[in-house]
């Protein structure tokens, strides 16, 4: 009987553990979906190995975790460019979200997840809000799973929002939405590779009753939840008009701020909000690209980290990012804070990689299973090859990864012990050029309808 399924040798292993250990010329052995051994030299009883990989010159890191994306927007790149959030939504995501077919959702999922895998991402959190037809969610899930990526599917709801342009077919009572979430959970098998959450889409599309109904469901069924929060000033404009208070005050009052919550964007967090996030264990998904692209602003990330808030990274929908590239997200996350603080040390390359790995693992409730390379954890990792024009020469691998890399540096992506991407080839068998050709044809059909 074989002892290991895959042994990777001669890698510079960045464990991202509490001591930030880097193992030179390290070996990592995988059995099934788990890291079985890590260290220097030979793993015990290594004679019987299914596959070996020589990683000389390369570095091994935990895979990145993209904690916020809207997959359908992968077919909408460039639409609504140069507009702020509400106008941009009404030019791109909302009109196209109304007409996209299940097949288009599936193709969008393959496009987004394949780009993610190719740029070092091993887990993705889909925030799904086009719920006018349950088939759309099914197609998106099918598309994600066909690529081999680890995923969270967040089936969200809107129970108001017409005045901001939310299409009426998206709007539903929260109790009906929770029944749909329960139905999805019955239909799809959940395990460490795939889980289903819910959440309110955004402040201006949710009533106070909606938050309460969702919270009751999540607490009774032990379901995690996520929402867009304080992305722009519109959140509080609506909240003050309807409820006479700040949205974070309202959420705290109804018991919504918990360690099961993943708050997305948080551009306009106040010091008091940060203090309460830390106290209640709320995680933040920081999405720098759309915050810049839509002119929303820059969230207080160093301040949140300093206060002990868990911060993860996300790409957000490709209509407000134009890509699903975590490497680009990491670079932006570092540079924008250095710039606005006028302090190059305010956030380091190592901190950014931690947000993309350990921060993500905690944000999706998998703190003990992902985010660190150590024996006993799930085998999600990437081989980073610095030997490319952009990143050559490599004086500091973490700096090279954050400041001087692109998808060409990702040699191999391993999810749950399986090689899902290696040297330009996807194990799913989905060919990149054929997928792009099919998507271009579908986009022509969409344009006629909008
Ligand atoms: Zn979003």
């Amino acid at each position: 009987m074989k002892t290991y399924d895959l042994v990777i040798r001669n890698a510079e292993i960045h464990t991202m553990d509490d001591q930030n250990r880097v193992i030179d010329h390290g070996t990592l052995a995988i059995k099934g979906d788990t890291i079985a051994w890590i260290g220097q030299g030979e793993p015990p009883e290594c004679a019987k190995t299914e596959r070996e990989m020589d990683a000389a010159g390369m570095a091994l890191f935990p895979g990145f975790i993209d904690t916020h994306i809207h997959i359908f927007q992968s077919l909408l790149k460039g639409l609504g460019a140069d507009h702020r959030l509400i106008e941009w939504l009404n030019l791109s995501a909302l009109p196209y979200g109304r007409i996209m077919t299940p097949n288009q959702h599936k193709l969008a999922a393959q496009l987004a997840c394949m780009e993610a895998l190719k740029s070092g991402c091993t887990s993705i959190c889909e925030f799904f809000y086009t719920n006018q037809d349950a088939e759309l969610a099914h197609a998106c899930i099918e598309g994600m799973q066909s690529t081999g990526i680890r995923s969270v599917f967040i089936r969200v709801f809107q129970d108001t929002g017409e005045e901001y342009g939310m299409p009426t077919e998206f709007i539903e009572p929260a109790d009906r939405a929770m029944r749909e979430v329960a139905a999805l959970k019955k239909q799809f098998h959940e395990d460490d590779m795939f889980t289903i959450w819910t959440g309110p889409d955004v402040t201006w599309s949710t009533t106070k009753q909606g938050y309460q109904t969702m919270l009751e469901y999540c607490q009774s069924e032990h379901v995690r939840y996520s929402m867009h929060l304080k992305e722009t000033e519109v959140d509080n404009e609506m909240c003050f008009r309807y409820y006479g208070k700040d949205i974070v005050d309202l959420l705290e009052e109804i018991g919504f701020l918990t360690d099961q919550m993943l708050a997305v964007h948080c551009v306009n967090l106040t010091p008091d909000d940060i203090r309460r996030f830390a106290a209640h264990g709320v995680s933040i998904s920081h999405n720098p690209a759309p915050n810049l692209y839509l002119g929303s602003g820059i969230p207080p990330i160093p301040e949140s980290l300093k206060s002990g808030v868990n911060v993860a990274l996300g790409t957000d929908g490709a209509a407000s990012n134009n890509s699903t590239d975590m490497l680009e997200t990491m670079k932006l996350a570092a540079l924008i804070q250095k710039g606005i603080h006028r302090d190059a040390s305010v956030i380091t390359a190592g901190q950014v990689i931690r947000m993309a790995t350990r921060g993500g693992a905690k944000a999706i409730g998998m703190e003990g299973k992902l985010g660190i390379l150590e024996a006993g954890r799930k085998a999600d990792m990437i081989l980073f090859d610095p030997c490319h024009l952009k990143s050559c020469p490599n004086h500091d691998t973490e700096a090279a990864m954050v400041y001087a890399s692109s998808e060409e540096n990702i040699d191999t992506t391993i999810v749950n012990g399986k090689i899902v991407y290696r040297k330009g080839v996807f194990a799913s068998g989905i060919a990149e050029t054929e997928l792009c050709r099919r998507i271009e044809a579908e986009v022509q059909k969409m344009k006629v309808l909008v």
Side-chain angles (χ1 to χ4, degrees), residues 68-70 73 88 127 129 201 228 231 264-265 287 290 316-317 320:
H68 185 73
I69 180 174
H70 310 285
Q73 292 183 18
W88 162 82
F127 192 99
Y129 61 78
D201 182 355
H228 294 109
E231 179 177 5
V264 181
H265 295 307
N287 295 216
D316 210 350
S320 66

Side-chain angles (χ1 to χ4, degrees), residues 133-280:
D133 173 0
E135 282 303 307
L136 302 177
H138 300 173
C140 177
I141 294 170
E142 203 184 309
M144 291 194 301
Q145 294 186 332
S146 70
T147 67
I149 203 163
R150 192 184 295 278
S151 59
V152 175
F153 184 83
I154 309 175
R155 195 282 189 200
V156 306
F157 71 96
Q158 302 98 343
D159 66 349
T160 186
E162 299 97 320
E163 62 182 309
Y164 295 94
M166 190 59 73
T168 48
E169 56 266 61
F170 291 0
I171 297 171
E172 60 191 333
D175 56 348
R176 195 177 88 190
M178 293 310 106
R179 285 197 296 276
E180 291 291 331
V181 174
L184 265 186
K185 283 177 159 288
K186 224 176 205 171
Q187 193 162 354
F188 289 89
H189 173 71
E190 289 183 86
D191 55 18
D192 285 334
M193 280 296 286
F194 178 71
T195 45
I196 295 171
W197 302 7
T198 187
D201 182 355
V202 63
T203 306
W204 44 266
S205 70
T206 315
T207 64
K208 187 175 175 185
Q209 181 59 49
Y211 294 118
Q212 286 167 323
T213 301
M214 189 223 77
L215 195 59
E216 276 167 30
Y217 169 77
C218 288
Q219 287 175 342
S220 81
E221 302 300 316
H222 307 288
V223 176
R224 301 179 76 90
Y225 51 96
S226 181
M227 73 178 287
H228 294 109
L229 186 64
K230 289 198 168 180
E231 179 177 5
T232 68
E233 60 286 352
V234 178
D235 286 19
N236 259 346
E237 182 273 318
M238 183 272 192
C239 206
F240 271 100
R241 198 149 48 82
Y242 281 81
Y243 304 113
K245 58 184 69 171
D246 179 281
I247 178 62
V248 175
D249 291 343
L250 177 76
L251 293 177
E252 187 177 41
E253 185 184 292
I254 61 178
F256 204 89
L257 303 181
T258 71
D259 63 0
Q260 303 296 295
M261 178 182 177
L262 174 59
V264 181
H265 295 307
C266 304
V267 169
N268 296 319
L269 281 196
T270 65
D272 195 40
D273 295 340
I274 293 172
R275 183 190 59 72
R276 288 182 286 174
F277 273 29
H280 293 291

Side-chain angles (χ1 to χ4, degrees), residues 67-117:
T67 55
H68 185 73
I69 180 174
H70 310 285
I71 276 173
F72 81 101
Q73 292 183 18
S74 294
L75 300 200
L76 312 180
K77 290 167 187 167
L79 290 173
D82 310 321
H83 289 270
R84 290 207 71 196
L85 180 77
I86 301 289
E87 302 89 70
W88 162 82
L89 271 172
N90 284 293
L91 287 166
S92 61
L94 298 181
Y96 282 86
R98 295 170 73 173
I99 55 125
M100 278 176 64
T101 64
N103 182 47
Q104 288 162 352
H105 275 266
K106 183 179 174 185
L107 293 172
Q110 291 176 330
L111 177 66
C113 294
M114 285 165 66
E115 186 190 355
L117 292 168

Side-chain angles (χ1 to χ4, degrees), residues 30 39 80:
I30 296 170

Side-chain angles (χ1 to χ4, degrees), residues 64-68 115 119 285-290 292 312-316 320-337 347 352-353 355-356 401-403 405:
F64 308 137
I65 296 170
D66 184 344
T67 55
H68 185 73
E115 186 190 355
S119 53
S285 173
H286 171 38
N287 295 216
L292 295 173
L313 296 178
T315 55
D316 210 350
S320 66
N321 181 321
N322 295 286
S323 78
T324 305
D325 182 342
M326 281 288 280
L327 291 165
E328 194 178 87
T329 291
M330 288 158 68
K331 182 170 182 174
L332 287 173
L335 296 190
I336 61 176
Q337 299 295 342
I347 196 157
V352 170
I353 298 171
M355 288 195 273
M401 173 179 270
V402 175
Y403 303 123
S405 70

